Amino acid sequence: KDKHRLSDDVERIVQEHLKYVSEDVSHGWDLIHQDGEMKVYRREVEENGIVVDPLKCFHTIKGVTGHELCQYFWEFQYRMDWETTLDSTKIIEVLDPDTMVFFQVHKRVWPAAQRDSCFWSHIRCISNSEEDQPTWLVVNYTTSHPLAPIKSPQVRLVANVALICETIICEPPLNPQDIKRENIQCKLTYVAFVNPGGWVPSAALRGVAKREYPRFLKRFTSYVIEQTRNKPILF
Ligand SMILES: O=S(=O)(CCO)c1ccc(-c2ccc(C3CCCC3)c([C@@H]3C[C@@H]3c3ccccn3)c2)cc1
């Protein structure tokens, strides 16, 4: 793999997420939303009076693979089909076939000032030998970039987000070619560390997060189920 200027950062953050994903949420996390298989947890954390609550979501989605979920989350061309909280998104640099930098303007959430964000976004397949299916992940991590100048009144968000997906084959048929969508499901873990980048009233931001994250995850997963329904399975 040819290295690029962010290769070491990407490697470090991916390894951090792989360590963190299995940490349990039994201590210090509040279950803020449950809808069927979807469980959304949050820890209340403030840094210099700014709410930076970590968010962790676990979900099991039937009929799609982790590769499919990560592909639709990472690929740029689908972004505005499922993302309803953005005014715009654009790729500003491609670092390698699995890593790009994008710039986004988020819809304004009154009373906060409008936020924009600049992330490197990396997709990766981690094939753990003993398991039958690999783990797929996408990490979105804030980076600065000359083509994403900070322009007031917009406030630059700081975020570290990961979508980590395991694929499970239920009652695998003897011949792998015969696997159907009803035989597969995906265990998804979504973690988001978002610092709004400037002061937002705590109660308002906590209310927005509590409403928007579950909505965002439900909309995204429903979108992927719909898009993949009649397509060949992408393992
Ligand atoms: O998964 S991603 O990487 C998908 C990239 O397209 C991602 C998701 C969400 C955000 C995000 C951006 C802004 C805000 C706030 C901060 C002040 C005013 C807006 C929030 C707060 C938590 C609430 C929120 C949660 C979900 C969706 C929108 N709003 C979240 C950033 C990246």
Coordinates of all heavy atoms in Angstrom, one line a residue, residues 128-178:
N128 N -10.3 -10.9 10.3 CA -9.8 -11.6 11.4 C -9.9 -13.1 11.0 O -11.0 -13.6 10.8 CB -10.6 -11.3 12.7 CG -12.0 -10.9 12.4 OD1 -12.5 -11.1 11.2 ND2 -12.8 -10.4 13.3
S129 N -8.8 -13.7 11.0 CA -8.7 -15.1 10.4 C -9.7 -16.0 11.0 O -10.5 -16.7 10.2 CB -7.3 -15.6 10.6 OG -7.0 -15.4 12.0
E130 N -9.8 -16.1 12.3 CA -10.6 -17.2 12.9 C -12.1 -17.0 12.6 O -12.8 -18.0 12.3 CB -10.4 -17.3 14.4 CG -11.0 -16.2 15.3 CD -10.2 -14.9 15.3 OE1 -9.1 -15.0 14.7 OE2 -10.6 -13.9 15.8
E131 N -12.6 -15.8 12.5 CA -14.0 -15.6 12.2 C -14.3 -15.8 10.7 O -13.4 -15.6 9.9 CB -14.4 -14.1 12.5 CG -13.9 -13.6 13.8 CD -14.9 -13.7 14.9 OE1 -16.1 -13.4 14.7 OE2 -14.5 -14.2 16.0
D132 N -15.5 -16.2 10.4 CA -15.8 -16.5 9.0 C -16.0 -15.2 8.1 O -15.7 -15.2 7.0 CB -17.0 -17.4 8.8 CG -18.2 -16.8 9.5 OD1 -18.0 -15.8 10.2 OD2 -19.3 -17.4 9.4
Q133 N -16.4 -14.2 8.8 CA -16.6 -12.9 8.0 C -15.7 -11.8 8.5 O -15.4 -11.7 9.7 CB -18.1 -12.5 8.1 CG -19.1 -13.4 7.4 CD -18.8 -13.4 5.9 OE1 -18.5 -12.3 5.3 NE2 -18.9 -14.5 5.3
P134 N -15.2 -11.0 7.6 CA -14.4 -9.9 8.1 C -15.2 -8.8 8.7 O -16.4 -8.7 8.7 CB -13.8 -9.4 6.7 CG -14.8 -9.6 5.7 CD -15.5 -10.9 6.2
T135 N -14.4 -7.9 9.4 CA -15.1 -6.7 10.0 C -14.7 -5.5 9.0 O -13.6 -5.4 8.5 CB -14.4 -6.4 11.4 OG1 -14.8 -7.4 12.2 CG2 -14.9 -5.0 11.9
W136 N -15.8 -4.7 8.7 CA -15.5 -3.5 7.9 C -15.7 -2.3 8.7 O -16.5 -2.3 9.7 CB -16.6 -3.5 6.7 CG -16.2 -4.3 5.6 CD1 -16.4 -5.7 5.4 CD2 -15.4 -3.9 4.4 NE1 -15.9 -6.1 4.2 CE2 -15.3 -5.0 3.6 CE3 -14.9 -2.7 4.0 CZ2 -14.6 -5.0 2.3 CZ3 -14.3 -2.6 2.7 CH2 -14.1 -3.7 1.9
L137 N -14.9 -1.2 8.5 CA -15.1 0.0 9.3 C -14.8 1.2 8.4 O -14.2 1.2 7.4 CB -14.2 0.0 10.5 CG -12.7 0.0 10.3 CD1 -12.2 1.5 10.2 CD2 -12.0 -0.6 11.5
V138 N -15.5 2.3 8.8 CA -15.2 3.6 8.3 C -14.9 4.6 9.4 O -15.6 4.5 10.5 CB -16.5 4.2 7.5 CG1 -16.2 5.6 7.0 CG2 -16.9 3.3 6.3
V139 N -13.9 5.4 9.3 CA -13.6 6.4 10.3 C -13.6 7.8 9.6 O -13.1 8.0 8.5 CB -12.2 6.2 10.9 CG1 -11.9 7.3 11.9 CG2 -12.1 4.8 11.7
N140 N -14.3 8.7 10.2 CA -14.3 10.1 9.8 C -13.6 10.9 10.9 O -14.1 10.9 12.1 CB -15.8 10.6 9.6 CG -16.5 10.0 8.4 OD1 -15.8 9.5 7.6 ND2 -17.8 10.1 8.4
Y141 N -12.5 11.6 10.6 CA -11.7 12.2 11.6 C -11.3 13.6 11.2 O -10.8 13.8 10.1 CB -10.5 11.4 11.9 CG -9.7 11.7 13.1 CD1 -10.0 11.3 14.3 CD2 -8.6 12.6 13.0 CE1 -9.3 11.6 15.5 CE2 -7.8 13.0 14.1 CZ -8.2 12.5 15.3 OH -7.5 12.8 16.4
T142 N -11.6 14.6 12.0 CA -11.3 16.0 11.6 C -9.9 16.2 11.3 O -8.9 15.7 11.9 CB -11.7 16.9 12.8 OG1 -13.1 16.9 13.0 CG2 -11.2 18.3 12.6
T143 N -9.7 17.0 10.2 CA -8.3 17.4 9.8 C -8.4 18.8 9.2 O -9.5 19.2 8.7 CB -7.8 16.4 8.7 OG1 -6.4 16.8 8.4 CG2 -8.6 16.4 7.4
S144 N -7.3 19.5 9.2 CA -7.3 20.8 8.6 C -6.9 20.6 7.1 O -6.3 19.6 6.8 CB -6.4 21.8 9.3 OG -5.1 21.2 9.2
H145 N -7.3 21.6 6.3 CA -7.0 21.5 4.9 C -7.0 22.8 4.3 O -7.9 23.6 4.5 CB -8.0 20.5 4.2 CG -7.5 20.1 2.9 ND1 -7.5 20.8 1.8 CD2 -7.0 18.9 2.5 CE1 -7.1 20.2 0.7 NE2 -6.7 19.0 1.1
P146 N -6.0 23.1 3.4 CA -6.0 24.5 2.8 C -7.2 24.8 2.0 O -7.6 25.9 1.8 CB -4.7 24.4 1.9 CG -4.3 23.0 1.9 CD -4.9 22.3 3.1
L147 N -7.9 23.7 1.5 CA -9.1 24.0 0.7 C -10.4 24.1 1.5 O -11.5 24.2 1.0 CB -9.3 22.9 -0.4 CG -8.2 22.8 -1.5 CD1 -8.5 21.7 -2.5 CD2 -8.1 24.2 -2.2
A148 N -10.2 24.0 2.8 CA -11.3 24.1 3.8 C -11.0 25.2 4.8 O -10.9 24.9 6.0 CB -11.6 22.8 4.4
P149 N -10.9 26.4 4.3 CA -10.5 27.5 5.2 C -11.7 27.8 6.2 O -12.8 27.6 5.9 CB -10.3 28.7 4.3 CG -11.2 28.5 3.1 CD -11.2 27.0 2.9
I150 N -11.3 28.1 7.5 CA -12.3 28.4 8.5 C -12.8 29.8 8.2 O -12.0 30.8 8.1 CB -11.7 28.3 9.9 CG1 -11.3 26.8 10.1 CG2 -12.8 28.7 10.9 CD1 -10.8 26.4 11.4
K151 N -14.1 29.9 7.9 CA -14.7 31.2 7.5 C -15.8 31.6 8.5 O -16.8 30.9 8.5 CB -15.2 31.2 6.1 CG -14.4 31.8 5.1 CD -15.0 31.9 3.6 CE -16.0 30.9 3.3 NZ -15.9 30.3 1.9
S152 N -15.6 32.6 9.3 CA -16.8 33.0 10.2 C -17.9 33.5 9.3 O -17.7 34.0 8.2 CB -16.3 34.1 11.2 OG -16.4 35.3 10.6
P153 N -19.2 33.4 9.7 CA -19.6 33.0 11.1 C -19.7 31.5 11.3 O -20.1 31.1 12.3 CB -21.0 33.6 11.1 CG -21.5 33.6 9.7 CD -20.3 33.7 8.8
Q154 N -19.3 30.7 10.3 CA -19.4 29.3 10.5 C -18.3 28.8 11.5 O -17.2 29.3 11.5 CB -19.2 28.5 9.1 CG -20.4 28.5 8.3 CD -20.2 28.2 6.8 OE1 -19.0 27.9 6.5 NE2 -21.2 28.1 6.1
V155 N -18.7 27.8 12.3 CA -17.8 27.3 13.4 C -17.4 25.9 12.9 O -18.2 25.1 12.5 CB -18.6 27.3 14.7 CG1 -17.8 26.6 15.8 CG2 -19.1 28.7 15.1
R156 N -16.1 25.7 13.0 CA -15.5 24.4 12.6 C -15.8 23.3 13.7 O -15.3 23.5 14.8 CB -14.0 24.5 12.3 CG -13.3 23.3 11.8 CD -13.9 22.7 10.5 NE -14.1 23.6 9.4 CZ -13.3 23.9 8.5 NH1 -12.0 23.4 8.5 NH2 -13.6 24.8 7.6
L157 N -16.5 22.3 13.3 CA -16.7 21.2 14.2 C -15.4 20.4 14.3 O -14.6 20.3 13.4 CB -17.7 20.3 13.4 CG -18.6 19.3 14.1 CD1 -19.6 20.0 15.0 CD2 -19.3 18.5 13.1
V158 N -15.3 19.7 15.5 CA -14.2 18.7 15.6 C -14.9 17.4 15.9 O -15.6 17.3 16.9 CB -13.3 19.1 16.8 CG1 -12.2 18.1 16.9 CG2 -12.7 20.5 16.5
A159 N -14.6 16.4 15.1 CA -15.3 15.1 15.3 C -14.4 13.9 15.0 O -13.5 14.0 14.2 CB -16.5 15.0 14.4
N160 N -14.7 12.8 15.7 CA -14.0 11.6 15.5 C -15.1 10.5 15.5 O -15.7 10.3 16.6 CB -13.0 11.3 16.6 CG -12.3 10.0 16.5 OD1 -12.6 9.2 15.6 ND2 -11.5 9.6 17.6
V161 N -15.4 10.0 14.4 CA -16.6 9.1 14.2 C -16.2 7.8 13.6 O -15.3 7.8 12.7 CB -17.6 9.8 13.3 CG1 -18.8 8.8 13.0 CG2 -18.2 11.1 14.0
A162 N -16.7 6.7 14.1 CA -16.4 5.4 13.5 C -17.7 4.6 13.3 O -18.5 4.5 14.2 CB -15.4 4.6 14.3
L163 N -17.8 3.9 12.2 CA -18.9 2.9 11.9 C -18.1 1.6 11.8 O -17.3 1.4 10.9 CB -19.6 3.2 10.7 CG -20.7 2.3 10.2 CD1 -21.9 2.2 11.2 CD2 -21.2 2.6 8.8
I164 N -18.4 0.6 12.7 CA -17.7 -0.7 12.7 C -18.7 -1.8 12.5 O -19.7 -1.8 13.3 CB -16.8 -0.8 13.9 CG1 -15.9 0.3 14.1 CG2 -16.1 -2.2 13.9 CD1 -15.1 0.4 15.3
C165 N -18.6 -2.6 11.5 CA -19.6 -3.6 11.2 C -19.1 -5.0 11.0 O -18.1 -5.2 10.3 CB -20.3 -3.2 9.9 SG -21.1 -1.6 9.9
E166 N -19.8 -5.9 11.7 CA -19.5 -7.4 11.6 C -20.6 -8.0 10.8 O -21.8 -7.7 11.1 CB -19.4 -8.0 13.0 CG -18.1 -7.7 13.8 CD -18.3 -8.2 15.2 OE1 -18.6 -9.4 15.4 OE2 -18.2 -7.4 16.1
T167 N -20.3 -8.9 9.9 CA -21.3 -9.6 9.2 C -21.5 -11.0 9.8 O -20.5 -11.7 10.1 CB -20.9 -9.8 7.7 OG1 -20.6 -8.5 7.2 CG2 -22.0 -10.5 6.9
I168 N -22.7 -11.4 10.0 CA -23.0 -12.8 10.5 C -23.9 -13.5 9.5 O -24.9 -13.0 9.0 CB -23.8 -12.7 11.9 CG1 -22.8 -12.0 12.9 CG2 -24.2 -14.0 12.4 CD1 -23.6 -11.2 13.9
I169 N -23.4 -14.8 9.2 CA -24.2 -15.6 8.4 C -25.0 -16.6 9.3 O -24.4 -17.3 10.0 CB -23.3 -16.5 7.4 CG1 -22.2 -15.7 6.9 CG2 -24.1 -17.2 6.4 CD1 -22.5 -14.9 5.6
C170 N -26.4 -16.5 9.2 CA -27.2 -17.4 10.1 C -27.5 -18.6 9.3 O -27.9 -18.6 8.1 CB -28.5 -16.6 10.4 SG -28.2 -14.9 10.9
E171 N -27.4 -19.8 9.9 CA -27.7 -21.1 9.3 C -27.0 -21.1 7.9 O -27.8 -21.2 6.9 CB -29.2 -21.4 9.2 CG -29.8 -21.5 10.5 CD -30.9 -20.4 10.7 OE1 -31.5 -20.0 9.8 OE2 -30.9 -19.9 11.9
P172 N -25.7 -21.0 7.8 CA -25.1 -21.0 6.5 C -25.5 -22.3 5.7 O -25.4 -23.4 6.2 CB -23.6 -21.0 6.8 CG -23.4 -21.2 8.2 CD -24.7 -21.0 8.9
P173 N -26.0 -22.1 4.5 CA -26.2 -23.3 3.6 C -24.9 -23.9 3.3 O -23.9 -23.3 3.3 CB -26.9 -22.7 2.4 CG -26.6 -21.2 2.4 CD -26.3 -20.8 3.8
L174 N -25.0 -25.2 2.9 CA -23.8 -26.0 2.6 C -22.9 -25.3 1.6 O -21.7 -25.0 1.8 CB -24.1 -27.4 2.1 CG -24.6 -28.3 3.3 CD1 -25.0 -29.7 2.8 CD2 -23.6 -28.4 4.4
N175 N -23.6 -24.8 0.5 CA -22.8 -24.1 -0.5 C -22.9 -22.6 -0.4 O -24.0 -22.0 -0.4 CB -23.5 -24.5 -1.9 CG -22.7 -23.9 -3.1 OD1 -21.9 -22.9 -2.8 ND2 -22.8 -24.4 -4.2
P176 N -21.8 -21.9 -0.1 CA -21.8 -20.5 0.2 C -22.5 -19.7 -0.9 O -23.1 -18.6 -0.7 CB -20.3 -20.1 0.3 CG -19.6 -21.4 0.6 CD -20.4 -22.5 0.0
Q177 N -22.5 -20.3 -2.2 CA -23.2 -19.6 -3.3 C -24.7 -19.4 -3.0 O -25.3 -18.6 -3.5 CB -23.0 -20.3 -4.6 CG -21.9 -19.8 -5.5 CD -20.5 -20.1 -4.9 OE1 -20.4 -21.0 -4.0 NE2 -19.5 -19.4 -5.2
D178 N -25.2 -20.3 -2.1 CA -26.7 -20.3 -1.9 C -27.1 -19.3 -0.8 O -28.2 -19.2 -0.4 CB -27.2 -21.7 -1.5 CG -26.9 -22.7 -2.6 OD1 -26.6 -22.2 -3.8 OD2 -26.8 -23.9 -2.4

